[in-house]
Amino acid sequence: MLEPHHGRTFLSLAAPEIRFLGPWEIKVGGQPVRLAGRRRVTVLTRLALAAGQPVTSRQLLADVWGQTSTTTAGKQLHIVVSKLREVLTPEIIATVPGGYLLDLPRDQVDAHNFTLLAGQARLARGRREPDTADGLFRRALALWRGRALAELDDPWAQIESRRLEEERLAVFEDHIDLRLAAGDHHAVVADLAPYVQAHPLREEPRAQLMLALYRAGRPSEALAVYQDGHTAMVEELGLEPGPRLRRLQHDILTRDPVLERATPAQSSTLVPAELPADTRSFTARHEEVDWLREALLRAGVAVVDGPGGVGKSALAVHVAHAMAGRFRDGVIYVNLNGATPGLPPLPVVDALGHLLRSLGLDGSAVPADLESAIARYRSLTAASELLVILDNALDAHQVRPLIPAGAGCRAVITSRKALTTLDDAHRLHLAGLGDHDAVTLLARIAAPERVQREPESAAKIAELCGGFPLAIRVAGARLAARPDWRLADLADRLADAARRLDTLQYADLAVRTSIAVSHRHLREEPNGHDAAHALLLLGLLDTPTHTPAATAALAHWPEAQAEAALERLRGARLLEAAGRGRYRFHDLIRLYAREQATRELSEPERAAALRRGLHHYLATVNTATQRVHPQVQEPSYQAEQLGVVFASTREVSEWTETERDNLLAVAHQAAESADPDTAIGLALGLHMPFNYRGWVTHLADVHRNAVEVAARRGDWAGQAQAESYLGWVYRDQGRYEQAIDHLERAVACWDKAALPHRRIGSFNNLGIIYTMLGQLDLARTNLAQALNIAEEIDDRYARGAILNNRVHVLYRQGLFEEAIAQARTAVVEWTGSLYGEGLSRATLSRAYLHAGRLTEAADTYQVALALLREAGYRIGYAVTAWWSGQTLHTLGRHGEARRNWAECFTALLETRLLTRAEVDELLEQPVPDMPRPIRNML
């Protein structure tokens, strides 16, 4: 039985049998094999319960090791698996991404074999083959030798034990139904009596025993069984028996002739079992499976919605297979063709015809008119225990008449729409798979060993498929059909956005076709034309999310019309909600939208729409700049489109926060377009709103692009401002040499543009940089040049900014009183600007601090913080809170100091300049280090 293999001893090639429906045992070739160690048994059992499916290492560690040995458990798991492979042959436990898979036919595990035989028995019963069904039921139940997983006391094992026991009881009761239908009521009484005594609160076997006793000529005993159940339920649950038991009692009392006939579940009429085959590669979705199982136990209707290709049907069918045994009158499956390529949605009357024929009506017995068919369907399902899968529904109107009427019936509906108008439905929105689960699905289709050889390429394929199961299945099918391909070959093909949808098409599977169905339905709906057109226009804009305002600009519509179209696209699952008033594409749908825009819109139409969208953002950043820095010169790059209007700097700050990623995206897209003015204008317009949030360092690429565009165009003024802002970016990054280089280029470009007074900002920034470098003479020189220009053009605001920056030079030179006096002058110059007055008071506080006037510094810092908080100038607030904390700590006011430091860190966290982990690390320090984002700021 044991054969040598390269110096080790392995089991023969016979597949092992794993049995735990009773005492645990493993056999090979009919002979028992001993496994040493509880954890080896437990790990193998956990893998056997998922035979043919991967189990993650994390799950195995949580289930088997629990909270113990956390530092060594991973190594112990590897050792356990290695030992099992030594006994079972290496190939039987495969390593898959993130875990392991027991590569064993499921019928070699008694629990799975039980489920398989029970399913075959139910199918045979449905085909009117009672003898075959009886034999299969008996074989299934004979596999039980005691309590399942009896030797394992882990929490997961107890849960599985209860689940398996529940399945055994359901199969036992199904078998009893079959035997009653066959007239075996005398023998059934003997089998049922102890069963009912052991499970006094289960209504179904009590009803079966009452019926068997009645048919055996023992009606008084049947009524006594009812009374015993009534007593048990009232005493233990405080509830009366259910309607089926009460109805059966009434029928026995009245000797209703119907009791002599088989009940619908017990009759020889065909019991429908119409489920499509379960998806063998069904992967993950553990939470969703549990949700749907629970919904089928408690709710009449469960709706699963989500975009095309996300796996709604696969989930519904998978769970229905697992739950089918609970529904005595069968399972009916109807594809409503709501999103089937090439087919119109199934008319309601046709769907009802399918349902009625499945319930046993023939030909002329199926009503031809809709209302009669609905009434007949309700009558037939009123007392049934039936599961109906209404797959691929178009809308609530199509599906509402198809929901079965009986309290014991359940309906699972899948649709791309949320069907929120259905009453009393439980709803689940299905999204794409996570990275790990997506790779696991790819491995199951394309072969685990190929994924193991190229894990990075597998992860890239999963990423480019966006977690969509349909896309991953297509990718896996293509790999399976081409064993000569490396995964990297497919990843390279998918990386080309222009042909990704072509690559995601194989045989009868196509992502493009799946998306196109929803798009076509919108075109065909009377009020769906706007949404169908908006889909094309949205594909033109590279923004990660879309707003009604930007969409209105793209389409040249009123904003309310654009919002209605976006909501319609969301309802069709062609867009997803991305926050209040915000929507996003899935990457593959974005590619489809762009592809269709190219096919259906002329080049001038596309260019005009894109320009309107970009100019919406250009107008808005220009307005934002004027709101946060009204002293900035009017923009040279005017927008042709209206933008968002702001009532306060706080609104600007909030808008910049929510639109940050979109703003960066449109700036990059404009730089790649044939529209240089828009590219330069967007880059320059972003600077001040981003500065308010402390994000100018994010604009390095944007400003570099603007410099290149302006240089190619010969726009000296545009290049000068972009060079100046790029120097500012490098300054805040601490890259001082590069900052000086770009600022000096800006000075030269202003001269070439014949705008020498515009050099003021470049000289001011050079002064700041030389101050940070400790080159104070150069700092004073550059600041003096800036101040001279401010005096020449009588720019009070600029004068205040320059004087404010000179303060930092003066106190560094030890000229404390002069620094304080100059800071007070800056406060006066900036009076009327919350931003300016707050910043200048913070600088006055620094002068007090260096002069040793700590109490005055601390008090002035609090005034500055209040002004900067009201101004919404987050980065300035963070810098000021930091220095205030330092001052208070020096004064020995440690509690107040820590509050100010925490305010600094919170501001940096909220503006995404620090992570939560970095904040926690800083707060753990007695005196926190200066945070990285503000180290290069005065």
Side-chain angles (χ1 to χ4, degrees):
M1 186 52 54
L2 296 175
E3 299 175 352
H5 182 82
H6 298 294
R8 290 187 178 179
T9 302
F10 291 114
L11 292 174
S12 68
L13 295 179
E17 299 174 57
I18 299 174
R19 304 171 66 186
F20 44 78
L21 298 180
W24 197 96
E25 65 180 16
I26 181 171
K27 291 184 176 182
V28 176
Q31 298 298 315
V33 175
R34 182 176 176 273
L35 279 186
R38 186 188 69 83
R39 281 182 174 155
R40 295 183 197 178
V41 170
T42 309
V43 168
L44 183 57
T45 305
R46 188 66 185 80
L47 291 172
L49 276 165
Q53 297 186 2
V55 181
T56 65
S57 298
R58 179 181 298 179
Q59 188 67 56
L60 286 168
L61 291 171
D63 287 346
V64 181
W65 275 261
Q67 302 300 316
T68 63
S69 306
T70 54
T71 58
T72 61
K75 184 176 181 180
Q76 291 177 28
L77 172 60
H78 180 73
I79 292 171
V80 166
V81 170
S82 297
K83 293 297 184 184
L84 288 171
R85 284 170 171 163
E86 289 181 6
V87 175
L88 301 175
T89 75
E91 297 79 11
I92 204 163
I93 301 180
T95 301
V96 297
Y100 300 94
L101 177 147
L102 185 65
D103 192 7
L104 185 69
R106 291 172 73 82
D107 60 2
Q108 294 297 110
V109 178
D110 60 355
H112 295 306
N113 196 24
F114 168 73
T115 302
L116 176 66
L117 290 169
Q120 291 173 345
R122 288 166 176 144
L123 288 173
R125 181 185 63 185
R127 293 192 303 267
R128 305 182 190 181
E129 299 172 3
D131 291 342
T132 302
D134 179 66
L136 289 166
F137 274 130
R138 292 180 187 278
R139 286 175 58 195
L141 291 167
L143 293 171
W144 285 77
R145 300 167 292 111
R147 185 167 68 86
L149 302 168
E151 293 94 337
L152 303 182
D153 55 6
D154 307 270
W156 69 269
Q158 297 303 307
I159 293 170
E160 286 296 324
S161 177
R162 288 191 292 273
R163 179 184 67 80
L164 290 166
E165 175 63 13
E166 185 63 30
E167 289 187 10
R168 183 184 74 83
L169 298 180
V171 171
F172 176 82
E173 291 163 13
D174 279 357
H175 188 213
I176 293 295
D177 261 344
L178 183 77
R179 293 170 64 189
L180 282 171
D184 195 19
H185 36 267
H186 291 286
V188 160
V189 169
D191 291 339
L192 267 178
Y195 180 84
V196 170
Q197 189 172 6
H199 303 90
L201 302 179
R202 290 182 74 89
E203 294 198 10
E204 182 58 32
R206 188 171 296 276
Q208 291 172 327
L209 180 56
M210 289 169 64
L211 183 61
L213 286 166
Y214 181 82
R215 288 180 179 173
R218 300 156 64 179
S220 59
E221 292 176 67
L223 292 170
V225 170
Y226 173 83
Q227 194 57 48
D228 290 344
H230 180 278
T231 301
M233 291 174 196
V234 170
E235 289 181 354
E236 296 195 32
L237 302 178
L239 298 173
E240 293 286 327
R244 178 171 181 183
L245 278 179
R246 295 199 304 272
R247 185 171 61 248
L248 185 56
Q249 181 206 30
H250 175 270
D251 291 346
I252 292 172
L253 288 168
T254 60
R255 296 184 177 273
D256 193 321
V258 75
L259 296 181
E260 300 299 336
R261 302 194 301 269
T263 63
Q266 300 160 340
S267 70
S268 59
T269 302
L270 179 68
V271 175
E274 299 179 353
L275 283 175
D278 198 1
T279 305
R280 292 183 60 85
S281 57
F282 188 87
T283 300
R285 299 289 195 198
H286 303 299
E287 291 182 7
E288 293 88 344
V289 167
D290 290 344
W291 180 92
L292 189 50
R293 288 176 68 107
E294 185 68 19
L296 287 176
L297 291 174
R298 299 182 181 278
V301 180
V303 177
V304 181
D305 72 82
V310 80
K312 303 180 295 296
S313 300
L315 173 66
V317 169
H318 179 75
V319 173
H321 272 285
M323 301 289 286
R326 297 178 179 271
F327 298 92
R328 305 190 173 285
D329 297 320
V331 182
I332 302 177
Y333 172 90
V334 186
N335 185 348
L336 297 174
N337 293 335
T340 304
L343 292 176
L346 191 66
V348 174
V349 69
D350 291 350
L352 283 165
H354 176 121
L355 290 164
L356 291 171
R357 284 189 292 274
S358 296
L359 291 170
L361 297 188
D362 293 321
S364 60
V366 176
D369 66 288
L370 181 60
E371 292 305 319
S372 297
I374 292 173
R376 190 76 174 108
Y377 177 58
R378 288 173 179 166
S379 295
L380 286 176
T381 58
S384 298
E385 295 181 17
L386 182 71
L387 175 60
V388 179
I389 309 298
L390 302 171
D391 194 18
N392 199 3
L394 176 65
D395 53 27
H397 174 77
Q398 181 193 34
V399 85
R400 190 175 283 111
L402 311 180
I403 298 172
C409 296
R410 300 290 184 266
V412 178
I413 304 167
T414 72
S415 177
R416 297 192 180 188
K417 299 177 182 178
L419 308 186
T420 53
T421 59
L422 287 180
D423 295 333
D424 301 323
H426 288 219
R427 293 178 177 83
L428 171 69
H429 175 67
L430 203 60
L433 295 172
D435 295 342
H436 175 269
D437 292 337
V439 171
T440 301
L441 176 58
L442 181 68
R444 298 193 67 186
I445 299 169
E449 60 274 12
R450 295 176 74 179
V451 170
Q452 291 168 28
R453 284 197 298 268
E454 298 181 75
E456 292 182 2
S457 295
K460 188 64 176 177
I461 290 169
E463 176 190 342
L464 292 168
C465 289
F468 260 33
L470 173 60
I472 296 163
R473 289 180 188 283
V474 175
R478 296 202 70 165
L479 288 170
R482 292 296 301 270
D484 56 314
W485 275 9
R486 296 179 304 121
L487 268 66
D489 297 332
L490 181 59
D492 289 343
R493 290 169 182 256
L494 290 171
D496 182 353
R499 62 173 184 167
R500 189 177 307 162
L501 292 178
D502 291 328
T503 303
L504 291 175
Q505 181 171 336
Y506 183 77
D508 61 339
L509 299 176
V511 171
R512 179 188 288 110
T513 305
S514 175
I515 300 169
V517 171
S518 292
H519 192 201
R520 175 174 58 80
H521 283 163
L522 285 176
R523 296 177 191 273
E524 294 171 350
E525 294 173 2
N527 54 355
H529 298 298
D530 280 355
H533 183 60
L535 181 74
L536 308 181
L537 298 178
L538 294 174
L540 300 174
L541 205 58
D542 286 346
T543 51
T545 61
H546 299 278
T547 64
T551 306
L554 274 171
H556 207 50
W557 291 340
E559 191 168 326
Q561 184 179 356
E563 185 173 16
L566 290 168
E567 274 297 302
R568 198 61 189 256
L569 287 168
R570 186 193 64 80
R573 291 296 181 256
L574 291 169
L575 285 178
E576 302 168 0
R580 184 171 175 268
R582 195 165 294 274
Y583 306 82
R584 72 163 62 90
F585 272 129
H586 184 279
D587 285 347
L588 296 177
I589 298 176
R590 180 192 298 278
L591 292 176
Y592 170 86
R594 181 162 299 175
E595 177 183 274
Q596 295 306 305
T598 302
R599 291 179 179 176
E600 298 184 27
L601 302 177
S602 68
E603 195 282 328
E605 287 177 312
R606 297 197 305 274
L610 178 58
R611 184 174 175 83
R612 289 194 300 267
L614 295 177
H615 274 240
H616 160 77
Y617 281 104
L618 176 60
T620 307
V621 296
N622 286 343
T623 302
T625 296
Q626 291 299 308
R627 174 60 68 178
V628 297
H629 277 280
Q631 297 76 14
V632 172
Q633 186 169 332
E634 281 289 322
S636 303
Y637 305 92
Q638 297 289 343
E640 300 168 359
Q641 193 78 25
L642 294 176
V644 178
V645 177
F646 304 106
S648 67
T649 55
R650 186 170 299 279
E651 286 187 8
V652 171
S653 187
E654 291 171 353
W655 179 82
T656 307
E657 163 73 26
T658 57
E659 286 277 47
R660 184 185 75 161
D661 294 340
N662 284 347
L663 291 166
L664 292 172
V666 295
H668 285 293
Q669 186 172 9
E672 296 171 358
S673 72
D675 190 354
D677 280 359
T678 303
I680 299 168
L682 275 169
L684 302 185
L686 286 177
H687 191 87
M688 288 304 177
F690 270 50
N691 176 57
Y692 233 60
R693 302 290 297 181
W695 291 342
V696 291
T697 54
H698 298 330
L699 295 176
D701 288 342
V702 171
H703 289 329
R704 274 195 294 268
N705 290 338
V707 167
E708 293 174 6
V709 171
R712 286 197 303 268
R713 189 168 179 263
D715 179 357
W716 293 113
Q719 183 179 349
Q721 191 61 70
E723 294 274 19
S724 186
Y725 281 162
L726 187 55
W728 186 332
V729 170
Y730 286 140
R731 181 200 80 187
D732 283 2
Q733 290 178 340
R735 298 160 66 179
Y736 296 130
E737 288 186 13
Q738 290 166 283
I740 291 169
D741 178 51
H742 284 283
L743 289 166
E744 289 176 344
R745 292 186 195 180
V747 170
C749 287
W750 286 126
D751 286 334
K752 291 177 181 177
L755 296 168
H757 65 283
R758 298 289 298 277
R759 298 175 300 170
I760 188 170
S762 303
F763 285 136
N764 187 46
N765 262 317
L766 284 166
I768 294 172
I769 292 168
Y770 285 124
T771 302
M772 299 293 290
L773 289 170
Q775 299 179 36
L776 301 182
D777 290 339
L778 282 172
R780 293 191 70 156
T781 299
N782 280 278
L783 290 172
Q785 289 178 280
L787 189 59
N788 288 338
I789 296 173
E791 297 289 356
E792 288 173 14
I793 62 176
D794 193 24
D795 187 335
R796 177 185 171 190
Y797 184 88
R799 188 163 55 243
I802 297 159
L803 292 174
N804 184 73
N805 291 329
R806 283 188 67 193
V807 173
H808 296 285
V809 178
L810 293 171
Y811 68 67
R812 281 173 167 82
Q813 291 180 321
L815 303 172
F816 303 126
E817 293 308 314
E818 187 178 348
I820 291 169
Q822 191 126 116
R824 287 172 175 162
T825 303
V827 170
V828 173
E829 294 285 358
W830 263 351
T831 299
S833 163
L834 290 172
Y835 164 87
E837 191 175 349
L839 207 55
S840 58
R841 287 189 183 278
T843 301
L844 175 58
S845 302
R846 287 283 292 280
Y848 283 141
L849 175 62
H850 284 271
R853 296 161 64 171
L854 300 182
T855 301
E856 291 171 277
D859 292 345
T860 308
Y861 268 131
Q862 296 311 305
V863 176
L865 285 170
L867 290 164
L868 293 170
R869 185 187 302 113
E870 187 176 353
Y873 182 36
R874 300 297 284 158
I875 190 65
Y877 182 88
V879 173
T880 303
W882 164 260
W883 283 107
S884 178
Q886 294 293 100
T887 305
L888 291 165
H889 182 76
T890 304
L891 283 168
R893 293 156 62 177
H894 298 149
E896 295 173 76
R898 292 203 71 82
R899 280 195 292 275
N900 274 171
W901 284 329
E903 288 172 2
C904 166
F905 305 151
T906 298
L908 295 173
L909 178 66
E910 289 175 350
T911 52
R912 294 185 273 182
L913 295 171
L914 285 181
T915 65
R916 169 54 64 186
E918 289 172 323
V919 168
D920 291 343
E921 184 178 346
L922 287 166
L923 288 172
E924 288 175 0
Q925 299 174 5
V927 179
D929 297 331
M930 176 179 275
R932 171 184 41 76
I934 64 174
R935 288 176 189 167
N936 301 309
M937 297 182 182
L938 287 176

